Amino acid sequence: MVLRKARAAGAATVVLAIGFVGVVTLGTYAASGVPESSSATLGLSGGTVPAAYRPQIQKWGALCPEISAPMLAAQLYQESGFDPAAKSPVGASGMAQFMPGSWDAFSVDGDGDGKRDVWNPLDAIASAASYDCLLAKQVANVPGDRQANMLAAYNAGPGAVSQYRGIPPYKETQGYVRSIQALAKSFTAPADPGVQLALSKEATGAIWFAQSKLGTDYLWGGTGQSWENGRFDCSGLTKVAYESVGIELPRVANDQWYAGPHPSRDQLRPGDLVFFANDLEDPRTIHHVGIYVGGGYMIDAPHTGAKVRYDTIDQRDYIGATRVTPDGAAALPDRNMNDGTITKSETPKVD
């Protein structure tokens, strides 16, 4: 394993008649964060992992107390974006990005077919969890947070964690631990709706930015730059809206999906990102995103020939929502979609 780092025609009229304050008032129930629970019992939030892998991640995420299904999912997403065919330039292979020597030493047969195949996602998921738990045992006597020490051992090796009696003073390792634990919150099933909460300043600012772009022409790949005549596509609009309040999101919609926890439909509040997918059981098929403003409506940049506008979220391809948090956004990798490496991506794969 690599140690490394359609839409309602009258929507605009309705929302403009109500006004921003009225729209916000119509739908501002917050989602709770990660439920208080032992790590082994944490469930996966709906739509966050491909359905074909969900049972395996849930099963193996309970292998030892130091891991959980959401944490295991966060690792697999960070390593490969759930791509069983991923291969890094340095030779790490499969969904869990094992190096050949590590695979030979630590892999397990996850589906009981008598083989240990690095390209088999079921073997890769089981092997990632098994390797995590092995590392947890190796650093079990180190003081501090057991999961954090395990993640540090995954990145820097158990010897370094034992030497420093905790997370080593390596910037990469400290960042890795912080990122995986923050990203795991995006994969954790939300608790029941709580009391009504005020909007965050980031959500409010993102909405005001999006409102200021109403009527702007759509441009595939657009992020509002001067040479684009200020035009946007859907994920370009959401990216720049949150950038205006100091939160940097990835460029494409199906990576923005992991920028925070996932409120249910009745937990939505303004500022949440709302997503649409071709396959509601596979987040890799997300193709559209907007900014929720309340009352069942979003601001979005819909498609070529349209303008930034208000649209209803009540559509057949609605897969869910994300409540953007600074920690969640900061934990996300930027991917080069051509080779799977973690880089700064500038060209959108989808809207």
Side-chain angles (χ1 to χ4, degrees):
M1 193 174 296
V2 176
L3 303 183
R4 58 162 170 83
K5 43 151 235 252
R7 294 166 167 82
T13 302
V14 172
V15 177
L16 288 173
I18 297 172
F20 173 72
V21 174
V23 170
V24 169
T25 304
L26 287 173
T28 58
Y29 287 94
S32 300
V34 178
E36 293 294 329
S37 174
S38 66
S39 63
T41 61
L42 290 178
L44 290 168
S45 187
T48 54
V49 302
Y53 309 140
R54 185 183 182 94
Q56 195 82 345
I57 293 173
Q58 194 71 64
K59 170 188 173 181
W60 289 96
L63 184 62
C64 65
E66 290 80 9
I67 68 173
S68 68
M71 191 224 77
L72 179 60
Q75 281 188 308
L76 295 168
Y77 170 73
Q78 195 271 353
E79 292 293 340
S80 68
F82 302 114
D83 180 4
K87 188 174 180 65
S88 80
V90 297
S93 301
M95 183 184 290
Q97 290 290 277
F98 273 89
M99 294 295 287
S102 296
W103 181 260
D104 291 342
F106 303 116
S107 62
V108 299
D109 176 12
D111 58 2
D113 66 354
K115 302 176 183 178
R116 296 180 298 145
D117 182 359
V118 73
W119 305 111
N120 180 337
L122 303 186
D123 289 352
I125 292 167
S127 297
S130 297
Y131 185 63
D132 280 341
C133 292
L134 174 62
L135 291 172
K137 288 182 180 179
Q138 292 177 341
V139 296
N141 294 326
V142 176
D145 182 271
R146 292 173 66 92
Q147 185 183 90
N149 287 339
M150 180 272 294
L151 289 170
Y154 172 90
N155 182 265
V161 176
S162 296
Q163 176 185 348
Y164 288 101
R165 305 296 291 164
I167 302 173
Y170 309 149
K171 184 176 180 180
E172 178 184 306
T173 301
Q174 293 172 347
Y176 180 81
V177 173
R178 184 168 57 250
S179 293
I180 294 299
Q181 291 191 318
L183 187 57
K185 296 177 182 178
S186 180
F187 290 92
T188 303
D192 293 333
V195 298
Q196 187 171 354
L197 299 176
L199 297 185
S200 70
K201 62 181 181 180
E202 291 85 5
T204 302
I207 292 170
W208 280 116
F209 179 91
Q211 281 192 314
S212 74
K213 303 304 177 183
L214 288 168
T216 301
D217 288 333
Y218 176 95
L219 175 68
W220 189 88
T223 56
Q225 302 299 321
S226 58
W227 59 86
E228 299 166 330
N229 294 322
R231 295 174 291 172
F232 297 89
D233 67 5
C234 68
S235 57
L237 177 65
T238 52
K239 175 178 172 61
V240 180
Y242 268 95
E243 193 175 85
S244 74
V245 293
I247 296 177
E248 184 175 353
L249 293 173
R251 179 60 186 88
V252 297
N254 55 3
D255 280 334
Q256 293 179 5
W257 171 243
Y258 294 105
H262 302 284
S264 62
R265 177 66 176 81
D266 61 350
Q267 295 173 320
L268 286 175
R269 73 173 188 239
D272 292 343
L273 297 184
V274 284
F275 294 85
F276 305 84
N278 295 321
D279 180 352
L280 301 185
E281 296 295 328
D282 191 344
R284 294 172 298 179
T285 70
I286 287 173
H287 63 82
H288 189 60
V289 60
I291 298 178
Y292 188 63
V293 295
Y297 291 98
M298 64 180 170
I299 297 175
D300 67 331
H303 52 75
T304 299
K307 298 179 183 295
V308 176
R309 67 193 188 191
Y310 292 104
D311 273 318
T312 178
I313 70 168
D314 293 324
Q315 301 172 41
R316 294 175 61 184
D317 56 350
Y318 175 79
I319 190 173
T322 297
R323 180 151 304 142
V324 176
T325 66
D327 287 346
L332 295 174
D334 285 310
R335 300 186 190 279
N336 181 320
M337 294 300 179
N338 294 321
D339 64 14
T341 57
I342 308 303
T343 62
K344 290 291 183 181
S345 176
E346 297 178 354
T347 303
K349 183 182 71 171
V350 293
D351 284 346

PDB file of all heavy atoms in Angstrom, residues 268-302:
ATOM      1  N   LEU A 268     -32.096  19.458   4.964  1.00  0.00           N
ATOM      2  CA  LEU A 268     -31.423  20.467   4.151  1.00  0.00           C
ATOM      3  C   LEU A 268     -31.553  21.851   4.747  1.00  0.00           C
ATOM      4  O   LEU A 268     -32.592  22.209   5.312  1.00  0.00           O
ATOM      5  CB  LEU A 268     -32.010  20.479   2.732  1.00  0.00           C
ATOM      6  CG  LEU A 268     -31.642  19.322   1.808  1.00  0.00           C
ATOM      7  CD1 LEU A 268     -32.408  19.449   0.500  1.00  0.00           C
ATOM      8  CD2 LEU A 268     -30.149  19.304   1.552  1.00  0.00           C
ATOM      9  N   ARG A 269     -30.494  22.633   4.570  1.00  0.00           N
ATOM     10  CA  ARG A 269     -30.592  24.053   4.863  1.00  0.00           C
ATOM     11  C   ARG A 269     -29.806  24.823   3.809  1.00  0.00           C
ATOM     12  O   ARG A 269     -28.930  24.269   3.139  1.00  0.00           O
ATOM     13  CB  ARG A 269     -30.120  24.368   6.272  1.00  0.00           C
ATOM     14  CG  ARG A 269     -28.629  24.311   6.545  1.00  0.00           C
ATOM     15  CD  ARG A 269     -28.374  24.833   7.962  1.00  0.00           C
ATOM     16  NE  ARG A 269     -26.959  24.984   8.255  1.00  0.00           N
ATOM     17  CZ  ARG A 269     -26.329  24.364   9.232  1.00  0.00           C
ATOM     18  NH1 ARG A 269     -26.993  23.489   9.972  1.00  0.00           N
ATOM     19  NH2 ARG A 269     -25.054  24.584   9.468  1.00  0.00           N
ATOM     20  N   PRO A 270     -30.134  26.102   3.615  1.00  0.00           N
ATOM     21  CA  PRO A 270     -29.480  26.895   2.577  1.00  0.00           C
ATOM     22  C   PRO A 270     -27.956  26.871   2.705  1.00  0.00           C
ATOM     23  O   PRO A 270     -27.401  26.890   3.805  1.00  0.00           O
ATOM     24  CB  PRO A 270     -30.042  28.296   2.804  1.00  0.00           C
ATOM     25  CG  PRO A 270     -31.406  28.038   3.349  1.00  0.00           C
ATOM     26  CD  PRO A 270     -31.232  26.852   4.266  1.00  0.00           C
ATOM     27  N   GLY A 271     -27.315  26.801   1.551  1.00  0.00           N
ATOM     28  CA  GLY A 271     -25.861  26.700   1.488  1.00  0.00           C
ATOM     29  C   GLY A 271     -25.381  25.294   1.242  1.00  0.00           C
ATOM     30  O   GLY A 271     -24.245  25.099   0.813  1.00  0.00           O
ATOM     31  N   ASP A 272     -26.222  24.292   1.521  1.00  0.00           N
ATOM     32  CA  ASP A 272     -25.843  22.912   1.202  1.00  0.00           C
ATOM     33  C   ASP A 272     -25.698  22.766  -0.311  1.00  0.00           C
ATOM     34  O   ASP A 272     -26.442  23.381  -1.079  1.00  0.00           O
ATOM     35  CB  ASP A 272     -26.908  21.924   1.689  1.00  0.00           C
ATOM     36  CG  ASP A 272     -26.991  21.833   3.203  1.00  0.00           C
ATOM     37  OD1 ASP A 272     -26.042  22.261   3.884  1.00  0.00           O
ATOM     38  OD2 ASP A 272     -28.019  21.332   3.699  1.00  0.00           O
ATOM     39  N   LEU A 273     -24.758  21.950  -0.737  1.00  0.00           N
ATOM     40  CA  LEU A 273     -24.661  21.600  -2.152  1.00  0.00           C
ATOM     41  C   LEU A 273     -25.585  20.420  -2.427  1.00  0.00           C
ATOM     42  O   LEU A 273     -25.629  19.466  -1.649  1.00  0.00           O
ATOM     43  CB  LEU A 273     -23.223  21.233  -2.522  1.00  0.00           C
ATOM     44  CG  LEU A 273     -22.176  22.344  -2.374  1.00  0.00           C
ATOM     45  CD1 LEU A 273     -20.820  21.856  -2.876  1.00  0.00           C
ATOM     46  CD2 LEU A 273     -22.591  23.607  -3.102  1.00  0.00           C
ATOM     47  N   VAL A 274     -26.320  20.492  -3.518  1.00  0.00           N
ATOM     48  CA  VAL A 274     -27.253  19.417  -3.889  1.00  0.00           C
ATOM     49  C   VAL A 274     -26.785  18.810  -5.201  1.00  0.00           C
ATOM     50  O   VAL A 274     -26.363  19.521  -6.118  1.00  0.00           O
ATOM     51  CB  VAL A 274     -28.694  19.950  -3.990  1.00  0.00           C
ATOM     52  CG1 VAL A 274     -29.263  20.162  -2.603  1.00  0.00           C
ATOM     53  CG2 VAL A 274     -28.771  21.244  -4.790  1.00  0.00           C
ATOM     54  N   PHE A 275     -26.869  17.472  -5.296  1.00  0.00           N
ATOM     55  CA  PHE A 275     -26.218  16.734  -6.374  1.00  0.00           C
ATOM     56  C   PHE A 275     -27.208  15.836  -7.116  1.00  0.00           C
ATOM     57  O   PHE A 275     -28.194  15.351  -6.545  1.00  0.00           O
ATOM     58  CB  PHE A 275     -25.089  15.874  -5.811  1.00  0.00           C
ATOM     59  CG  PHE A 275     -23.946  16.663  -5.231  1.00  0.00           C
ATOM     60  CD1 PHE A 275     -23.993  17.120  -3.925  1.00  0.00           C
ATOM     61  CD2 PHE A 275     -22.844  16.965  -6.004  1.00  0.00           C
ATOM     62  CE1 PHE A 275     -22.952  17.848  -3.390  1.00  0.00           C
ATOM     63  CE2 PHE A 275     -21.782  17.698  -5.480  1.00  0.00           C
ATOM     64  CZ  PHE A 275     -21.834  18.144  -4.175  1.00  0.00           C
ATOM     65  N   PHE A 276     -26.848  15.554  -8.372  1.00  0.00           N
ATOM     66  CA  PHE A 276     -27.686  14.759  -9.259  1.00  0.00           C
ATOM     67  C   PHE A 276     -26.788  13.775 -10.002  1.00  0.00           C
ATOM     68  O   PHE A 276     -25.680  14.124 -10.412  1.00  0.00           O
ATOM     69  CB  PHE A 276     -28.438  15.670 -10.229  1.00  0.00           C
ATOM     70  CG  PHE A 276     -29.238  16.728  -9.497  1.00  0.00           C
ATOM     71  CD1 PHE A 276     -28.634  17.916  -9.086  1.00  0.00           C
ATOM     72  CD2 PHE A 276     -30.565  16.519  -9.189  1.00  0.00           C
ATOM     73  CE1 PHE A 276     -29.346  18.873  -8.366  1.00  0.00           C
ATOM     74  CE2 PHE A 276     -31.290  17.466  -8.487  1.00  0.00           C
ATOM     75  CZ  PHE A 276     -30.678  18.645  -8.071  1.00  0.00           C
ATOM     76  N   ALA A 277     -27.272  12.528 -10.152  1.00  0.00           N
ATOM     77  CA  ALA A 277     -26.432  11.462 -10.700  1.00  0.00           C
ATOM     78  C   ALA A 277     -27.213  10.612 -11.692  1.00  0.00           C
ATOM     79  O   ALA A 277     -28.445  10.492 -11.612  1.00  0.00           O
ATOM     80  CB  ALA A 277     -25.902  10.582  -9.572  1.00  0.00           C
ATOM     81  N   ASN A 278     -26.494   9.994 -12.601  1.00  0.00           N
ATOM     82  CA  ASN A 278     -27.108   9.069 -13.551  1.00  0.00           C
ATOM     83  C   ASN A 278     -27.512   7.758 -12.888  1.00  0.00           C
ATOM     84  O   ASN A 278     -28.485   7.119 -13.288  1.00  0.00           O
ATOM     85  CB  ASN A 278     -26.146   8.792 -14.709  1.00  0.00           C
ATOM     86  CG  ASN A 278     -25.883  10.029 -15.545  1.00  0.00           C
ATOM     87  OD1 ASN A 278     -26.791  10.817 -15.784  1.00  0.00           O
ATOM     88  ND2 ASN A 278     -24.648  10.208 -15.982  1.00  0.00           N
ATOM     89  N   ASP A 279     -26.745   7.336 -11.875  1.00  0.00           N
ATOM     90  CA  ASP A 279     -27.022   6.111 -11.138  1.00  0.00           C
ATOM     91  C   ASP A 279     -27.054   6.475  -9.657  1.00  0.00           C
ATOM     92  O   ASP A 279     -26.020   6.821  -9.081  1.00  0.00           O
ATOM     93  CB  ASP A 279     -25.932   5.067 -11.424  1.00  0.00           C
ATOM     94  CG  ASP A 279     -26.151   3.758 -10.678  1.00  0.00           C
ATOM     95  OD1 ASP A 279     -27.051   3.692  -9.822  1.00  0.00           O
ATOM     96  OD2 ASP A 279     -25.405   2.796 -10.948  1.00  0.00           O
ATOM     97  N   LEU A 280     -28.217   6.402  -9.046  1.00  0.00           N
ATOM     98  CA  LEU A 280     -28.360   6.831  -7.660  1.00  0.00           C
ATOM     99  C   LEU A 280     -27.662   5.901  -6.675  1.00  0.00           C
ATOM    100  O   LEU A 280     -27.585   6.217  -5.493  1.00  0.00           O
ATOM    101  CB  LEU A 280     -29.842   6.962  -7.301  1.00  0.00           C
ATOM    102  CG  LEU A 280     -30.639   7.959  -8.155  1.00  0.00           C
ATOM    103  CD1 LEU A 280     -32.061   8.100  -7.620  1.00  0.00           C
ATOM    104  CD2 LEU A 280     -29.956   9.316  -8.213  1.00  0.00           C
ATOM    105  N   GLU A 281     -27.137   4.778  -7.155  1.00  0.00           N
ATOM    106  CA  GLU A 281     -26.382   3.863  -6.309  1.00  0.00           C
ATOM    107  C   GLU A 281     -24.873   4.010  -6.495  1.00  0.00           C
ATOM    108  O   GLU A 281     -24.106   3.246  -5.917  1.00  0.00           O
ATOM    109  CB  GLU A 281     -26.785   2.410  -6.632  1.00  0.00           C
ATOM    110  CG  GLU A 281     -28.242   2.083  -6.327  1.00  0.00           C
ATOM    111  CD  GLU A 281     -28.550   2.159  -4.846  1.00  0.00           C
ATOM    112  OE1 GLU A 281     -27.652   1.872  -4.039  1.00  0.00           O
ATOM    113  OE2 GLU A 281     -29.689   2.506  -4.496  1.00  0.00           O
ATOM    114  N   ASP A 282     -24.451   4.985  -7.283  1.00  0.00           N
ATOM    115  CA  ASP A 282     -23.021   5.127  -7.577  1.00  0.00           C
ATOM    116  C   ASP A 282     -22.645   6.604  -7.671  1.00  0.00           C
ATOM    117  O   ASP A 282     -22.942   7.270  -8.661  1.00  0.00           O
ATOM    118  CB  ASP A 282     -22.673   4.423  -8.885  1.00  0.00           C
ATOM    119  CG  ASP A 282     -21.167   4.302  -9.106  1.00  0.00           C
ATOM    120  OD1 ASP A 282     -20.404   5.011  -8.422  1.00  0.00           O
ATOM    121  OD2 ASP A 282     -20.762   3.503  -9.971  1.00  0.00           O
ATOM    122  N   PRO A 283     -21.989   7.154  -6.637  1.00  0.00           N
ATOM    123  CA  PRO A 283     -21.641   8.578  -6.651  1.00  0.00           C
ATOM    124  C   PRO A 283     -20.648   8.952  -7.740  1.00  0.00           C
ATOM    125  O   PRO A 283     -20.495  10.142  -8.041  1.00  0.00           O
ATOM    126  CB  PRO A 283     -21.048   8.811  -5.255  1.00  0.00           C
ATOM    127  CG  PRO A 283     -20.543   7.464  -4.827  1.00  0.00           C
ATOM    128  CD  PRO A 283     -21.517   6.473  -5.412  1.00  0.00           C
ATOM    129  N   ARG A 284     -19.993   7.946  -8.345  1.00  0.00           N
ATOM    130  CA  ARG A 284     -19.070   8.269  -9.428  1.00  0.00           C
ATOM    131  C   ARG A 284     -19.804   8.770 -10.673  1.00  0.00           C
ATOM    132  O   ARG A 284     -19.176   9.307 -11.587  1.00  0.00           O
ATOM    133  CB  ARG A 284     -18.225   7.037  -9.772  1.00  0.00           C
ATOM    134  CG  ARG A 284     -17.278   6.595  -8.649  1.00  0.00           C
ATOM    135  CD  ARG A 284     -16.610   5.273  -8.964  1.00  0.00           C
ATOM    136  NE  ARG A 284     -17.599   4.195  -9.087  1.00  0.00           N
ATOM    137  CZ  ARG A 284     -17.282   2.936  -9.370  1.00  0.00           C
ATOM    138  NH1 ARG A 284     -16.005   2.604  -9.542  1.00  0.00           N
ATOM    139  NH2 ARG A 284     -18.221   2.015  -9.460  1.00  0.00           N
ATOM    140  N   THR A 285     -21.135   8.620 -10.698  1.00  0.00           N
ATOM    141  CA  THR A 285     -21.917   9.070 -11.859  1.00  0.00           C
ATOM    142  C   THR A 285     -22.557  10.434 -11.637  1.00  0.00           C
ATOM    143  O   THR A 285     -23.391  10.860 -12.437  1.00  0.00           O
ATOM    144  CB  THR A 285     -23.018   8.051 -12.207  1.00  0.00           C
ATOM    145  OG1 THR A 285     -24.041   8.055 -11.181  1.00  0.00           O
ATOM    146  CG2 THR A 285     -22.452   6.651 -12.353  1.00  0.00           C
ATOM    147  N   ILE A 286     -22.194  11.122 -10.562  1.00  0.00           N
ATOM    148  CA  ILE A 286     -22.722  12.473 -10.331  1.00  0.00           C
ATOM    149  C   ILE A 286     -22.361  13.362 -11.511  1.00  0.00           C
ATOM    150  O   ILE A 286     -21.215  13.401 -11.950  1.00  0.00           O
ATOM    151  CB  ILE A 286     -22.166  13.046  -9.014  1.00  0.00           C
ATOM    152  CG1 ILE A 286     -22.831  12.359  -7.817  1.00  0.00           C
ATOM    153  CG2 ILE A 286     -22.382  14.561  -8.934  1.00  0.00           C
ATOM    154  CD1 ILE A 286     -22.250  12.731  -6.472  1.00  0.00           C
ATOM    155  N   HIS A 287     -23.336  14.106 -12.010  1.00  0.00           N
ATOM    156  CA  HIS A 287     -23.117  14.932 -13.196  1.00  0.00           C
ATOM    157  C   HIS A 287     -23.542  16.384 -13.021  1.00  0.00           C
ATOM    158  O   HIS A 287     -23.285  17.214 -13.904  1.00  0.00           O
ATOM    159  CB  HIS A 287     -23.877  14.350 -14.394  1.00  0.00           C
ATOM    160  CG  HIS A 287     -25.380  14.337 -14.205  1.00  0.00           C
ATOM    161  ND1 HIS A 287     -26.160  15.440 -14.440  1.00  0.00           N
ATOM    162  CD2 HIS A 287     -26.210  13.350 -13.786  1.00  0.00           C
ATOM    163  CE1 HIS A 287     -27.437  15.129 -14.189  1.00  0.00           C
ATOM    164  NE2 HIS A 287     -27.486  13.873 -13.775  1.00  0.00           N
ATOM    165  N   HIS A 288     -24.162  16.726 -11.878  1.00  0.00           N
ATOM    166  CA  HIS A 288     -24.651  18.097 -11.723  1.00  0.00           C
ATOM    167  C   HIS A 288     -24.681  18.467 -10.253  1.00  0.00           C
ATOM    168  O   HIS A 288     -24.874  17.620  -9.373  1.00  0.00           O
ATOM    169  CB  HIS A 288     -26.053  18.235 -12.324  1.00  0.00           C
ATOM    170  CG  HIS A 288     -26.540  19.657 -12.392  1.00  0.00           C
ATOM    171  ND1 HIS A 288     -25.882  20.635 -13.107  1.00  0.00           N
ATOM    172  CD2 HIS A 288     -27.610  20.267 -11.826  1.00  0.00           C
ATOM    173  CE1 HIS A 288     -26.540  21.774 -12.980  1.00  0.00           C
ATOM    174  NE2 HIS A 288     -27.586  21.578 -12.202  1.00  0.00           N
ATOM    175  N   VAL A 289     -24.488  19.761  -9.956  1.00  0.00           N
ATOM    176  CA  VAL A 289     -24.505  20.272  -8.589  1.00  0.00           C
ATOM    177  C   VAL A 289     -25.073  21.686  -8.590  1.00  0.00           C
ATOM    178  O   VAL A 289     -24.906  22.435  -9.553  1.00  0.00           O
ATOM    179  CB  VAL A 289     -23.081  20.257  -7.974  1.00  0.00           C
ATOM    180  CG1 VAL A 289     -22.119  21.132  -8.779  1.00  0.00           C
ATOM    181  CG2 VAL A 289     -23.098  20.697  -6.517  1.00  0.00           C
ATOM    182  N   GLY A 290     -25.767  22.019  -7.511  1.00  0.00           N
ATOM    183  CA  GLY A 290     -26.270  23.375  -7.311  1.00  0.00           C
ATOM    184  C   GLY A 290     -26.143  23.757  -5.850  1.00  0.00           C
ATOM    185  O   GLY A 290     -25.752  22.933  -5.009  1.00  0.00           O
ATOM    186  N   ILE A 291     -26.476  24.997  -5.527  1.00  0.00           N
ATOM    187  CA  ILE A 291     -26.441  25.489  -4.148  1.00  0.00           C
ATOM    188  C   ILE A 291     -27.873  25.646  -3.657  1.00  0.00           C
ATOM    189  O   ILE A 291     -28.655  26.416  -4.218  1.00  0.00           O
ATOM    190  CB  ILE A 291     -25.691  26.829  -4.051  1.00  0.00           C
ATOM    191  CG1 ILE A 291     -24.240  26.667  -4.487  1.00  0.00           C
ATOM    192  CG2 ILE A 291     -25.743  27.361  -2.612  1.00  0.00           C
ATOM    193  CD1 ILE A 291     -23.451  27.968  -4.458  1.00  0.00           C
ATOM    194  N   TYR A 292     -28.214  24.910  -2.611  1.00  0.00           N
ATOM    195  CA  TYR A 292     -29.572  24.958  -2.079  1.00  0.00           C
ATOM    196  C   TYR A 292     -29.840  26.310  -1.429  1.00  0.00           C
ATOM    197  O   TYR A 292     -28.999  26.850  -0.701  1.00  0.00           O
ATOM    198  CB  TYR A 292     -29.755  23.839  -1.049  1.00  0.00           C
ATOM    199  CG  TYR A 292     -31.170  23.666  -0.578  1.00  0.00           C
ATOM    200  CD1 TYR A 292     -32.175  23.286  -1.458  1.00  0.00           C
ATOM    201  CD2 TYR A 292     -31.513  23.872   0.764  1.00  0.00           C
ATOM    202  CE1 TYR A 292     -33.481  23.110  -1.027  1.00  0.00           C
ATOM    203  CE2 TYR A 292     -32.807  23.704   1.208  1.00  0.00           C
ATOM    204  CZ  TYR A 292     -33.795  23.325   0.299  1.00  0.00           C
ATOM    205  OH  TYR A 292     -35.086  23.163   0.735  1.00  0.00           O
ATOM    206  N   VAL A 293     -31.042  26.866  -1.681  1.00  0.00           N
ATOM    207  CA  VAL A 293     -31.410  28.150  -1.087  1.00  0.00           C
ATOM    208  C   VAL A 293     -32.649  28.052  -0.216  1.00  0.00           C
ATOM    209  O   VAL A 293     -33.072  29.047   0.378  1.00  0.00           O
ATOM    210  CB  VAL A 293     -31.619  29.235  -2.170  1.00  0.00           C
ATOM    211  CG1 VAL A 293     -30.315  29.537  -2.881  1.00  0.00           C
ATOM    212  CG2 VAL A 293     -32.712  28.841  -3.155  1.00  0.00           C
ATOM    213  N   GLY A 294     -33.247  26.846  -0.101  1.00  0.00           N
ATOM    214  CA  GLY A 294     -34.426  26.676   0.732  1.00  0.00           C
ATOM    215  C   GLY A 294     -35.688  26.520  -0.098  1.00  0.00           C
ATOM    216  O   GLY A 294     -35.724  26.831  -1.290  1.00  0.00           O
ATOM    217  N   GLY A 295     -36.739  26.034   0.548  1.00  0.00           N
ATOM    218  CA  GLY A 295     -38.023  25.915  -0.115  1.00  0.00           C
ATOM    219  C   GLY A 295     -38.044  24.945  -1.272  1.00  0.00           C
ATOM    220  O   GLY A 295     -38.938  25.001  -2.114  1.00  0.00           O
ATOM    221  N   GLY A 296     -37.071  24.039  -1.341  1.00  0.00           N
ATOM    222  CA  GLY A 296     -37.009  23.076  -2.429  1.00  0.00           C
ATOM    223  C   GLY A 296     -36.314  23.586  -3.676  1.00  0.00           C
ATOM    224  O   GLY A 296     -36.386  22.936  -4.722  1.00  0.00           O
ATOM    225  N   TYR A 297     -35.601  24.721  -3.587  1.00  0.00           N
ATOM    226  CA  TYR A 297     -34.958  25.311  -4.757  1.00  0.00           C
ATOM    227  C   TYR A 297     -33.451  25.473  -4.555  1.00  0.00           C
ATOM    228  O   TYR A 297     -32.950  25.551  -3.436  1.00  0.00           O
ATOM    229  CB  TYR A 297     -35.579  26.675  -5.081  1.00  0.00           C
ATOM    230  CG  TYR A 297     -36.983  26.563  -5.583  1.00  0.00           C
ATOM    231  CD1 TYR A 297     -38.058  26.747  -4.723  1.00  0.00           C
ATOM    232  CD2 TYR A 297     -37.248  26.237  -6.913  1.00  0.00           C
ATOM    233  CE1 TYR A 297     -39.366  26.622  -5.173  1.00  0.00           C
ATOM    234  CE2 TYR A 297     -38.548  26.113  -7.375  1.00  0.00           C
ATOM    235  CZ  TYR A 297     -39.599  26.307  -6.496  1.00  0.00           C
ATOM    236  OH  TYR A 297     -40.887  26.171  -6.956  1.00  0.00           O
ATOM    237  N   MET A 298     -32.766  25.512  -5.687  1.00  0.00           N
ATOM    238  CA  MET A 298     -31.324  25.730  -5.715  1.00  0.00           C
ATOM    239  C   MET A 298     -31.009  26.803  -6.748  1.00  0.00           C
ATOM    240  O   MET A 298     -31.827  27.123  -7.620  1.00  0.00           O
ATOM    241  CB  MET A 298     -30.591  24.439  -6.106  1.00  0.00           C
ATOM    242  CG  MET A 298     -30.922  23.955  -7.522  1.00  0.00           C
ATOM    243  SD  MET A 298     -30.033  22.432  -7.963  1.00  0.00           S
ATOM    244  CE  MET A 298     -30.856  21.994  -9.512  1.00  0.00           C
ATOM    245  N   ILE A 299     -29.811  27.350  -6.650  1.00  0.00           N
ATOM    246  CA  ILE A 299     -29.236  28.155  -7.732  1.00  0.00           C
ATOM    247  C   ILE A 299     -28.230  27.272  -8.435  1.00  0.00           C
ATOM    248  O   ILE A 299     -27.376  26.654  -7.794  1.00  0.00           O
ATOM    249  CB  ILE A 299     -28.559  29.428  -7.207  1.00  0.00           C
ATOM    250  CG1 ILE A 299     -29.578  30.344  -6.525  1.00  0.00           C
ATOM    251  CG2 ILE A 299     -27.867  30.179  -8.347  1.00  0.00           C
ATOM    252  CD1 ILE A 299     -28.958  31.574  -5.867  1.00  0.00           C
ATOM    253  N   ASP A 300     -28.328  27.190  -9.771  1.00  0.00           N
ATOM    254  CA  ASP A 300     -27.406  26.338 -10.511  1.00  0.00           C
ATOM    255  C   ASP A 300     -27.137  26.912 -11.893  1.00  0.00           C
ATOM    256  O   ASP A 300     -27.859  27.793 -12.377  1.00  0.00           O
ATOM    257  CB  ASP A 300     -27.946  24.907 -10.622  1.00  0.00           C
ATOM    258  CG  ASP A 300     -29.203  24.806 -11.487  1.00  0.00           C
ATOM    259  OD1 ASP A 300     -29.971  25.792 -11.552  1.00  0.00           O
ATOM    260  OD2 ASP A 300     -29.426  23.742 -12.090  1.00  0.00           O
ATOM    261  N   ALA A 301     -26.066  26.421 -12.495  1.00  0.00           N
ATOM    262  CA  ALA A 301     -25.753  26.693 -13.899  1.00  0.00           C
ATOM    263  C   ALA A 301     -26.105  25.415 -14.642  1.00  0.00           C
ATOM    264  O   ALA A 301     -25.351  24.447 -14.601  1.00  0.00           O
ATOM    265  CB  ALA A 301     -24.275  27.041 -14.064  1.00  0.00           C
ATOM    266  N   PRO A 302     -27.275  25.358 -15.310  1.00  0.00           N
ATOM    267  CA  PRO A 302     -27.833  24.068 -15.732  1.00  0.00           C
ATOM    268  C   PRO A 302     -27.146  23.388 -16.903  1.00  0.00           C
ATOM    269  O   PRO A 302     -26.743  22.226 -16.793  1.00  0.00           O
ATOM    270  CB  PRO A 302     -29.281  24.404 -16.096  1.00  0.00           C
ATOM    271  CG  PRO A 302     -29.531  25.771 -15.548  1.00  0.00           C
ATOM    272  CD  PRO A 302     -28.213  26.458 -15.533  1.00  0.00           C
TER     273      PRO A 302
END
